[in-house]
Short mmCIF file of all heavy atoms in Angstrom, two decimals:
data_model
loop_
_atom_site.label_atom_id
_atom_site.label_comp_id
_atom_site.label_asym_id
_atom_site.label_seq_id
_atom_site.Cartn_x
_atom_site.Cartn_y
_atom_site.Cartn_z
N GLY A 764 0.37 11.19 -18.72
CA GLY A 764 0.36 12.50 -19.37
C GLY A 764 -0.56 13.53 -18.75
O GLY A 764 -0.54 14.69 -19.15
N LYS A 765 -1.36 13.14 -17.78
CA LYS A 765 -2.28 14.07 -17.13
C LYS A 765 -1.68 14.58 -15.83
O LYS A 765 -1.39 13.79 -14.92
CB LYS A 765 -3.62 13.40 -16.85
CG LYS A 765 -4.64 14.31 -16.18
CD LYS A 765 -5.93 13.58 -15.84
CE LYS A 765 -6.89 14.50 -15.10
NZ LYS A 765 -8.13 13.79 -14.68
N GLU A 766 -1.47 15.90 -15.75
CA GLU A 766 -0.94 16.47 -14.52
C GLU A 766 -1.98 16.40 -13.41
O GLU A 766 -3.17 16.66 -13.63
CB GLU A 766 -0.50 17.91 -14.75
CG GLU A 766 0.72 18.04 -15.65
CD GLU A 766 1.28 19.45 -15.68
OE1 GLU A 766 0.73 20.32 -14.98
OE2 GLU A 766 2.28 19.66 -16.39
N MET A 767 -1.53 16.05 -12.21
CA MET A 767 -2.43 15.88 -11.07
C MET A 767 -1.74 16.35 -9.80
O MET A 767 -0.51 16.37 -9.71
CB MET A 767 -2.81 14.41 -10.88
CG MET A 767 -3.42 13.71 -12.06
SD MET A 767 -3.73 11.95 -11.66
CE MET A 767 -4.31 11.35 -13.26
N GLY A 768 -2.56 16.68 -8.80
CA GLY A 768 -2.03 16.92 -7.47
C GLY A 768 -1.70 15.60 -6.80
O GLY A 768 -2.07 14.52 -7.28
N GLY A 769 -1.03 15.68 -5.67
CA GLY A 769 -0.58 14.48 -4.99
C GLY A 769 -1.69 13.53 -4.61
O GLY A 769 -1.60 12.30 -4.81
N VAL A 770 -2.78 14.06 -4.06
CA VAL A 770 -3.89 13.22 -3.62
C VAL A 770 -4.50 12.49 -4.81
O VAL A 770 -4.76 11.27 -4.74
CB VAL A 770 -4.96 14.07 -2.90
CG1 VAL A 770 -6.23 13.26 -2.67
CG2 VAL A 770 -4.42 14.57 -1.56
N GLU A 771 -4.71 13.20 -5.91
CA GLU A 771 -5.31 12.56 -7.09
C GLU A 771 -4.39 11.49 -7.67
O GLU A 771 -4.86 10.44 -8.14
CB GLU A 771 -5.63 13.61 -8.15
CG GLU A 771 -6.42 13.04 -9.33
CD GLU A 771 -6.76 14.06 -10.39
OE1 GLU A 771 -6.38 15.25 -10.25
OE2 GLU A 771 -7.42 13.68 -11.40
N ILE A 772 -3.09 11.73 -7.64
CA ILE A 772 -2.15 10.72 -8.14
C ILE A 772 -2.25 9.44 -7.32
O ILE A 772 -2.33 8.33 -7.88
CB ILE A 772 -0.71 11.27 -8.12
CG1 ILE A 772 -0.52 12.21 -9.31
CG2 ILE A 772 0.32 10.13 -8.17
CD1 ILE A 772 0.83 12.89 -9.34
N VAL A 773 -2.25 9.57 -6.00
CA VAL A 773 -2.35 8.37 -5.15
C VAL A 773 -3.68 7.66 -5.39
O VAL A 773 -3.72 6.43 -5.52
CB VAL A 773 -2.17 8.74 -3.67
CG1 VAL A 773 -2.41 7.52 -2.78
CG2 VAL A 773 -0.78 9.31 -3.42
N GLU A 774 -4.76 8.41 -5.48
CA GLU A 774 -6.07 7.80 -5.71
C GLU A 774 -6.12 7.09 -7.06
O GLU A 774 -6.67 5.99 -7.17
CB GLU A 774 -7.17 8.86 -5.62
CG GLU A 774 -7.39 9.40 -4.21
CD GLU A 774 -8.39 10.55 -4.17
OE1 GLU A 774 -8.60 11.22 -5.20
OE2 GLU A 774 -8.96 10.79 -3.08
N THR A 775 -5.56 7.73 -8.09
CA THR A 775 -5.55 7.13 -9.43
C THR A 775 -4.75 5.83 -9.44
O THR A 775 -5.19 4.81 -10.00
CB THR A 775 -4.95 8.12 -10.45
OG1 THR A 775 -5.77 9.30 -10.48
CG2 THR A 775 -4.90 7.50 -11.84
N LEU A 776 -3.58 5.85 -8.83
CA LEU A 776 -2.74 4.65 -8.81
C LEU A 776 -3.30 3.58 -7.88
O LEU A 776 -3.09 2.39 -8.12
CB LEU A 776 -1.31 5.03 -8.43
CG LEU A 776 -0.58 5.92 -9.44
CD1 LEU A 776 0.81 6.29 -8.92
CD2 LEU A 776 -0.47 5.23 -10.80
N ASN A 777 -4.00 3.99 -6.84
CA ASN A 777 -4.68 3.00 -6.00
C ASN A 777 -5.69 2.20 -6.82
O ASN A 777 -5.79 0.98 -6.69
CB ASN A 777 -5.41 3.68 -4.84
CG ASN A 777 -4.52 3.94 -3.65
OD1 ASN A 777 -3.45 3.33 -3.51
ND2 ASN A 777 -4.95 4.83 -2.77
N LYS A 778 -6.42 2.91 -7.67
CA LYS A 778 -7.43 2.24 -8.50
C LYS A 778 -6.76 1.28 -9.49
O LYS A 778 -7.14 0.11 -9.60
CB LYS A 778 -8.27 3.26 -9.25
CG LYS A 778 -9.40 2.66 -10.08
CD LYS A 778 -10.26 3.75 -10.71
CE LYS A 778 -11.45 3.16 -11.46
NZ LYS A 778 -11.07 2.28 -12.57
N LEU A 779 -5.75 1.78 -10.21
CA LEU A 779 -5.06 0.94 -11.19
C LEU A 779 -4.37 -0.25 -10.51
O LEU A 779 -4.44 -1.39 -10.98
CB LEU A 779 -4.03 1.76 -11.96
CG LEU A 779 -4.57 2.80 -12.95
CD1 LEU A 779 -3.42 3.62 -13.52
CD2 LEU A 779 -5.34 2.12 -14.07
N GLY A 780 -3.69 0.03 -9.43
CA GLY A 780 -2.99 -1.03 -8.72
C GLY A 780 -3.92 -2.04 -8.11
O GLY A 780 -3.70 -3.25 -8.20
N GLY A 781 -4.99 -1.54 -7.48
CA GLY A 781 -5.95 -2.44 -6.85
C GLY A 781 -6.60 -3.38 -7.84
O GLY A 781 -6.77 -4.58 -7.57
N GLU A 782 -6.94 -2.85 -9.01
CA GLU A 782 -7.57 -3.68 -10.05
C GLU A 782 -6.66 -4.80 -10.54
O GLU A 782 -7.13 -5.83 -11.02
CB GLU A 782 -7.99 -2.80 -11.23
CG GLU A 782 -9.13 -1.85 -10.92
CD GLU A 782 -9.37 -0.82 -12.01
OE1 GLU A 782 -8.49 -0.68 -12.91
OE2 GLU A 782 -10.41 -0.14 -11.97
N ASN A 783 -5.36 -4.59 -10.41
CA ASN A 783 -4.39 -5.56 -10.92
C ASN A 783 -3.68 -6.36 -9.81
O ASN A 783 -2.66 -6.99 -10.06
CB ASN A 783 -3.36 -4.85 -11.79
CG ASN A 783 -3.94 -4.43 -13.13
OD1 ASN A 783 -4.04 -5.23 -14.06
ND2 ASN A 783 -4.35 -3.16 -13.23
N GLY A 784 -4.24 -6.31 -8.61
CA GLY A 784 -3.69 -7.11 -7.51
C GLY A 784 -2.32 -6.67 -7.04
O GLY A 784 -1.54 -7.49 -6.51
N ILE A 785 -2.01 -5.39 -7.17
CA ILE A 785 -0.70 -4.86 -6.80
C ILE A 785 -0.68 -4.44 -5.33
O ILE A 785 -1.66 -3.92 -4.81
CB ILE A 785 -0.33 -3.64 -7.68
CG1 ILE A 785 -0.39 -3.99 -9.16
CG2 ILE A 785 1.02 -3.07 -7.28
CD1 ILE A 785 0.62 -5.00 -9.61
N GLY A 786 0.45 -4.65 -4.67
CA GLY A 786 0.69 -4.03 -3.37
C GLY A 786 0.14 -4.73 -2.17
O GLY A 786 -0.15 -4.09 -1.16
N ILE A 787 0.00 -6.05 -2.20
CA ILE A 787 -0.45 -6.81 -1.04
C ILE A 787 0.79 -7.39 -0.36
O ILE A 787 1.56 -8.13 -0.97
CB ILE A 787 -1.41 -7.93 -1.44
CG1 ILE A 787 -2.63 -7.35 -2.16
CG2 ILE A 787 -1.85 -8.74 -0.23
CD1 ILE A 787 -3.50 -8.39 -2.84
N ALA A 788 0.98 -7.05 0.90
CA ALA A 788 2.16 -7.52 1.63
C ALA A 788 1.74 -8.22 2.92
O ALA A 788 0.92 -7.70 3.68
CB ALA A 788 3.09 -6.35 1.96
N ASP A 789 2.29 -9.39 3.14
CA ASP A 789 2.05 -10.17 4.35
C ASP A 789 3.39 -10.30 5.06
O ASP A 789 4.32 -10.89 4.53
CB ASP A 789 1.50 -11.55 3.96
CG ASP A 789 1.37 -12.50 5.14
OD1 ASP A 789 1.50 -12.05 6.30
OD2 ASP A 789 1.14 -13.70 4.90
N LEU A 790 3.51 -9.71 6.23
CA LEU A 790 4.81 -9.74 6.89
C LEU A 790 4.70 -9.84 8.41
O LEU A 790 3.71 -9.40 9.00
CB LEU A 790 5.64 -8.51 6.54
CG LEU A 790 5.16 -7.14 7.01
CD1 LEU A 790 6.36 -6.24 7.32
CD2 LEU A 790 4.31 -6.47 5.93
N VAL A 791 5.71 -10.44 8.99
CA VAL A 791 5.91 -10.42 10.43
C VAL A 791 6.99 -9.37 10.69
O VAL A 791 8.11 -9.51 10.23
CB VAL A 791 6.35 -11.79 10.97
CG1 VAL A 791 6.69 -11.69 12.45
CG2 VAL A 791 5.25 -12.82 10.74
N GLU A 792 6.61 -8.31 11.39
CA GLU A 792 7.53 -7.19 11.59
C GLU A 792 7.94 -7.09 13.06
O GLU A 792 7.27 -7.61 13.95
CB GLU A 792 6.88 -5.88 11.14
CG GLU A 792 5.74 -5.44 12.04
CD GLU A 792 4.83 -4.41 11.39
OE1 GLU A 792 4.21 -4.71 10.36
OE2 GLU A 792 4.74 -3.30 11.96
N ASN A 793 9.03 -6.39 13.28
CA ASN A 793 9.52 -6.14 14.64
C ASN A 793 8.96 -4.81 15.12
O ASN A 793 9.37 -3.74 14.64
CB ASN A 793 11.05 -6.11 14.65
CG ASN A 793 11.64 -7.48 14.42
OD1 ASN A 793 11.48 -8.38 15.25
ND2 ASN A 793 12.31 -7.67 13.30
N ARG A 794 8.03 -4.89 16.06
CA ARG A 794 7.47 -3.66 16.62
C ARG A 794 8.52 -2.92 17.45
O ARG A 794 9.43 -3.53 18.02
CB ARG A 794 6.26 -3.97 17.50
CG ARG A 794 5.00 -4.27 16.74
CD ARG A 794 3.83 -4.45 17.70
NE ARG A 794 2.60 -4.76 16.98
CZ ARG A 794 1.46 -5.12 17.58
NH1 ARG A 794 1.42 -5.24 18.89
NH2 ARG A 794 0.39 -5.37 16.85
N LEU A 795 8.32 -1.62 17.57
CA LEU A 795 9.20 -0.79 18.38
C LEU A 795 9.20 -1.26 19.84
O LEU A 795 10.24 -1.21 20.51
CB LEU A 795 8.74 0.67 18.29
CG LEU A 795 9.42 1.69 19.20
CD1 LEU A 795 10.91 1.74 18.91
CD2 LEU A 795 8.79 3.06 19.00
N VAL A 796 8.07 -1.74 20.33
CA VAL A 796 7.96 -2.10 21.75
C VAL A 796 8.55 -3.48 22.05
O VAL A 796 8.48 -3.95 23.18
CB VAL A 796 6.49 -2.04 22.23
CG1 VAL A 796 5.99 -0.61 22.22
CG2 VAL A 796 5.60 -2.93 21.36
N GLY A 797 9.14 -4.14 21.05
CA GLY A 797 9.92 -5.32 21.34
C GLY A 797 9.38 -6.65 20.84
O GLY A 797 10.13 -7.61 20.74
N MET A 798 8.10 -6.72 20.53
CA MET A 798 7.53 -7.99 20.08
C MET A 798 7.44 -8.03 18.56
O MET A 798 7.55 -7.01 17.88
CB MET A 798 6.13 -8.17 20.68
CG MET A 798 5.09 -7.23 20.11
SD MET A 798 3.53 -7.29 21.00
CE MET A 798 3.97 -6.49 22.54
N LYS A 799 7.23 -9.21 18.04
CA LYS A 799 6.94 -9.38 16.62
C LYS A 799 5.43 -9.38 16.42
O LYS A 799 4.68 -9.88 17.27
CB LYS A 799 7.54 -10.68 16.09
CG LYS A 799 9.07 -10.68 16.02
CD LYS A 799 9.59 -11.97 15.41
CE LYS A 799 11.12 -11.98 15.38
NZ LYS A 799 11.67 -11.02 14.40
N SER A 800 4.98 -8.84 15.31
CA SER A 800 3.55 -8.86 15.00
C SER A 800 3.37 -9.16 13.52
O SER A 800 4.23 -8.85 12.70
CB SER A 800 2.88 -7.53 15.36
OG SER A 800 3.35 -6.50 14.52
N ARG A 801 2.23 -9.76 13.20
CA ARG A 801 1.95 -10.13 11.82
C ARG A 801 0.82 -9.26 11.28
O ARG A 801 -0.19 -9.05 11.94
CB ARG A 801 1.54 -11.61 11.78
CG ARG A 801 1.58 -12.29 10.41
CD ARG A 801 0.25 -12.27 9.68
NE ARG A 801 0.29 -13.10 8.48
CZ ARG A 801 -0.27 -14.31 8.39
NH1 ARG A 801 -0.90 -14.84 9.44
NH2 ARG A 801 -0.20 -14.99 7.25
N GLY A 802 1.00 -8.75 10.10
CA GLY A 802 -0.02 -7.93 9.49
C GLY A 802 -0.06 -8.12 7.99
O GLY A 802 0.92 -8.53 7.37
N VAL A 803 -1.23 -7.85 7.42
CA VAL A 803 -1.40 -7.82 5.97
C VAL A 803 -1.68 -6.38 5.57
O VAL A 803 -2.56 -5.73 6.15
CB VAL A 803 -2.54 -8.75 5.51
CG1 VAL A 803 -2.88 -8.50 4.04
CG2 VAL A 803 -2.15 -10.21 5.72
N TYR A 804 -0.93 -5.88 4.61
CA TYR A 804 -1.05 -4.48 4.18
C TYR A 804 -1.45 -4.41 2.71
O TYR A 804 -0.91 -5.13 1.87
CB TYR A 804 0.27 -3.74 4.37
CG TYR A 804 0.72 -3.69 5.81
CD1 TYR A 804 1.63 -4.62 6.31
CD2 TYR A 804 0.25 -2.72 6.68
CE1 TYR A 804 2.05 -4.57 7.63
CE2 TYR A 804 0.66 -2.66 7.99
CZ TYR A 804 1.56 -3.59 8.47
OH TYR A 804 1.97 -3.55 9.77
N GLU A 805 -2.40 -3.53 2.42
CA GLU A 805 -2.77 -3.21 1.05
C GLU A 805 -2.26 -1.81 0.73
O GLU A 805 -2.72 -0.83 1.33
CB GLU A 805 -4.29 -3.26 0.87
CG GLU A 805 -4.93 -4.60 1.16
CD GLU A 805 -6.44 -4.53 0.97
OE1 GLU A 805 -6.88 -4.23 -0.15
OE2 GLU A 805 -7.17 -4.77 1.96
N THR A 806 -1.33 -1.70 -0.20
CA THR A 806 -0.78 -0.40 -0.60
C THR A 806 -0.61 -0.37 -2.11
O THR A 806 0.52 -0.33 -2.63
CB THR A 806 0.58 -0.16 0.10
OG1 THR A 806 0.54 -0.63 1.44
CG2 THR A 806 0.93 1.33 0.11
N PRO A 807 -1.69 -0.40 -2.87
CA PRO A 807 -1.57 -0.54 -4.33
C PRO A 807 -0.87 0.63 -5.00
O PRO A 807 0.12 0.45 -5.73
CB PRO A 807 -3.01 -0.69 -4.79
CG PRO A 807 -3.86 -0.17 -3.67
CD PRO A 807 -3.10 -0.42 -2.41
N GLY A 808 -1.35 1.85 -4.78
CA GLY A 808 -0.73 3.01 -5.42
C GLY A 808 0.66 3.26 -4.90
O GLY A 808 1.57 3.62 -5.65
N GLY A 809 0.85 3.10 -3.60
CA GLY A 809 2.16 3.33 -3.00
C GLY A 809 3.22 2.38 -3.53
O GLY A 809 4.36 2.77 -3.77
N THR A 810 2.84 1.13 -3.73
CA THR A 810 3.79 0.15 -4.26
C THR A 810 4.23 0.54 -5.67
O THR A 810 5.42 0.42 -6.02
CB THR A 810 3.15 -1.25 -4.26
OG1 THR A 810 2.78 -1.59 -2.91
CG2 THR A 810 4.11 -2.30 -4.79
N ILE A 811 3.30 1.02 -6.46
CA ILE A 811 3.64 1.48 -7.81
C ILE A 811 4.59 2.67 -7.75
O ILE A 811 5.59 2.75 -8.48
CB ILE A 811 2.37 1.84 -8.60
CG1 ILE A 811 1.51 0.59 -8.83
CG2 ILE A 811 2.71 2.50 -9.93
CD1 ILE A 811 0.13 0.89 -9.38
#
């Protein structure tokens, strides 16, 4: 119910998501340059 700008929304959801273990991704991806690479990504607000 609280209107916010884009930056504040992402920051707010990052906090809520992070506290609840949201948005952790472990993946092997196909890089543009042809090889596979493995990475762990934290995107709590974005996932929400």
Side-chain angles (χ1 to χ4, degrees):
K765 180 183 177 183
E766 291 190 1
M767 304 177 185
V770 170
E771 187 180 1
I772 283 176
V773 175
E774 290 175 337
T775 299
L776 294 177
N777 275 342
K778 183 175 184 300
L779 289 174
E782 291 170 347
N783 287 279
I785 304 295
I787 301 168
D789 174 11
L790 66 147
V791 174
E792 69 198 62
N793 290 294
R794 283 185 181 172
L795 173 60
V796 293
M798 70 189 71
K799 291 183 182 290
S800 67
R801 196 266 189 103
V803 168
Y804 298 96
E805 299 180 60
T806 321
T810 301
I811 295 170

